Each structure stands twice: as C-alpha cells, then as structure tokens.
Amino acid sequence: GAGVSQSPSNKVTEKGKDVELRCDPISGHTALYWYRQRLGQGLEFLIYFQGNSAPDKSGLPSDRFSAERTGESVSTLTIQRTQQEDSAVYLCASKLGQGAKGTEAFFGQGTRLTVV
Amino acid sequence: QKEVEQDPGPLSVPEGAIVSLNCTYSNSAFQYFMWYRQYSRKGPELLMYTYSSGNKEDGRFTAQVDKSSKYISLFIRDSQPSDSATYLCAMSAGNFNKFYFGSGTKLNVKP
C-alpha cells in the first residue's frame, strides 16, 4: 500500500480482555516504531524494530505489553489483561532504513483503544 | 524533567499572522529535529526536518535549530485556517532508535 496501515481503527474492549493491534508498514521499510498517544498529550515511545528484531523495547510500560514483527513487514502489538489506563491512540510508524538512512518516519492513522 | 518541553497552547491567531512555535530540550545528543503536524483524529505528518543547528525554509514554513541553547522553532508565515492543527516537535540522536516528541501545541487560525 501507499502508506502505513493500522487495524482496527477503533477498538472498544472490556477491562481484563486481551487485544491485538496490527501495523502494516510501507513496503521495504525496515524500521518500525510503536507509539502511544493519550488524549491531549504527545507521543510516548513504546518499541522500535529494525527488521524483525527489537533493539529498543524500553518504552513498553509493563509485561502486559508485547510486540512482534514477522517477515520484516507486519507488526502486532498485544496488550494482555487490559486496564482503563491503556485507553489511548496507538500509532505505528515506519522508516526506510537504519540510522539516518531515510530520515522521514511515516505514521499510520492509529488505533483508538478504549477500555471500559 | 521531560526531555522535550513544548507549550501546549492553545494558540489562536488571525489569518495571515506569523506563527512561532517552540520547543526546548535537555539532551545534547539530539542531532535531528523534526516538526510534525497532526489534524484531529489523524496520524502525524512530517512538515520539516533539520540536521544540527541552522535554518531551513520550505514555502511558508521555516525551521530553526539553536543547539547551543537547546531550542528549536517553527515559523509559519501568512497562516491559513487550514494550518489549524496540533504541531509536534520531535528529535532524535544519530541512531534513530526512537524519536522524542513534545506534547504538541494546538494552533487555531481564525478566518
């Protein structure tokens, strides 16, 4: 596709349930990032993938959060036993290469997660 | 202390005004500086990118970086109602393992 695609666009889930969020990066982009944006706030880093490896997962807030990437393409962010404080927009971005190669990071539209 | 500080606004200006948006940061390792525009319920889109100190101009937009003061700015000339959005500054060290974002400034340009 032409841009970064995220699904679902909206997700409402009950507290305690698990959710999976999907990101399809731009084809050929080896770097992939997940960010969280709470209402009215800036972007909070969660995890960075280079290829299928995650050299920086320092932003994952707890062990309820995990992410994987396969085929140097699709990534899924999984939140187990969701809590109300997990409600936010989850944004995915991809970038052409490692380091300064292809500096621009393109963002998807995000998945708006609401935990009730 | 946050690594990147940005005044959340909101900033309201009349159409045609010059807008100045600013961020300060604390990490001297940052080398790449970006400004993103985010419309409501949309993902951020990159407006400007600058490496190290200096100015960069693109149409009505000018980005300035002063590394000695750890201060970056985005100027918008002849502002238009379509510029109404939230503007996020972002920065990264050379490895690009992560981008550090400000909290965003909400701009409203009144017709």
Side-chain angles (χ1 to χ4, degrees):
Chain A
V4 178
S5 178
Q6 291 187 246
S7 60
S9 54
N10 285 282
K11 176 72 176 179
V12 180
T13 190
E14 292 181 354
K15 179 181 172 182
K17 300 278 189 178
D18 298 352
V19 294
E20 273 192 4
L21 312 180
R22 177 186 170 107
C23 173
D24 283 88
I26 294 172
S27 179
H29 281 198
T30 61
L32 186 148
Y33 307 82
W34 283 98
Y35 279 83
R36 177 168 71 178
Q37 187 174 31
R38 291 199 167 107
L39 186 64
Q41 299 190 21
L43 277 67
E44 175 188 6
F45 170 79
L46 296 178
I47 189 169
Y48 158 62
F49 286 94
Q50 181 57 43
N52 293 334
S53 301
D56 193 336
K57 52 179 78 172
S58 62
L60 294 178
S62 74
D63 59 7
R64 297 187 296 105
F65 287 72
S66 62
E68 65 174 13
R69 189 178 184 194
T70 56
E72 296 198 352
S73 181
V74 173
S75 177
T76 54
L77 177 69
T78 301
I79 308 173
Q80 295 178 311
R81 305 181 303 281
T82 51
Q83 304 295 313
Q84 288 186 329
E85 66 260 27
D86 300 333
S87 296
V89 175
Y90 289 82
L91 289 158
C92 174
S94 72
K95 178 173 151 321
L96 181 59
Q98 192 171 6
K101 181 181 177 183
T103 308
E104 183 173 9
F106 293 87
F107 279 86
Q109 298 297 322
T111 294
R112 185 173 300 271
L113 176 66
T114 304
V115 182
V116 298
Chain B
Q1 182 191 4
K2 290 182 182 177
E3 294 208 338
V4 181
E5 298 280 357
Q6 184 176 8
D7 187 333
L11 182 61
S12 187
V13 301
E15 183 176 354
I18 296 174
V19 176
S20 173
L21 304 167
N22 312 291
C23 289
T24 59
Y25 63 96
S26 56
N27 190 340
S28 57
F30 291 151
Q31 299 178 46
Y32 296 87
F33 304 90
M34 289 138 282
W35 285 95
Y36 282 82
R37 178 174 61 194
Q38 186 175 27
Y39 291 113
S40 182
R41 293 184 171 262
K42 300 289 187 182
E45 59 175 322
L46 183 69
L47 278 177
M48 301 284 288
Y49 137 74
T50 309
Y51 171 68
S52 194
S53 284
N55 294 359
K56 187 172 184 178
E57 188 172 321
D58 184 1
R60 297 185 295 112
F61 298 90
T62 299
Q64 285 186 353
V65 174
D66 182 349
K67 289 189 72 178
S68 62
S69 302
K70 297 189 176 66
Y71 188 87
I72 71 170
S73 301
L74 177 71
F75 297 95
I76 307 174
R77 290 182 299 280
D78 188 25
S79 56
Q80 302 296 308
S82 58
D83 295 327
S84 297
T86 296
Y87 290 79
L88 297 152
C89 63
M91 40 202 83
S92 180
N95 60 11
F96 281 94
N97 280 10
K98 65 180 74 167
F99 296 86
Y100 295 82
F101 282 83
S103 56
T105 299
K106 188 169 185 178
L107 172 67
N108 179 34
V109 181
K110 298 173 291 184

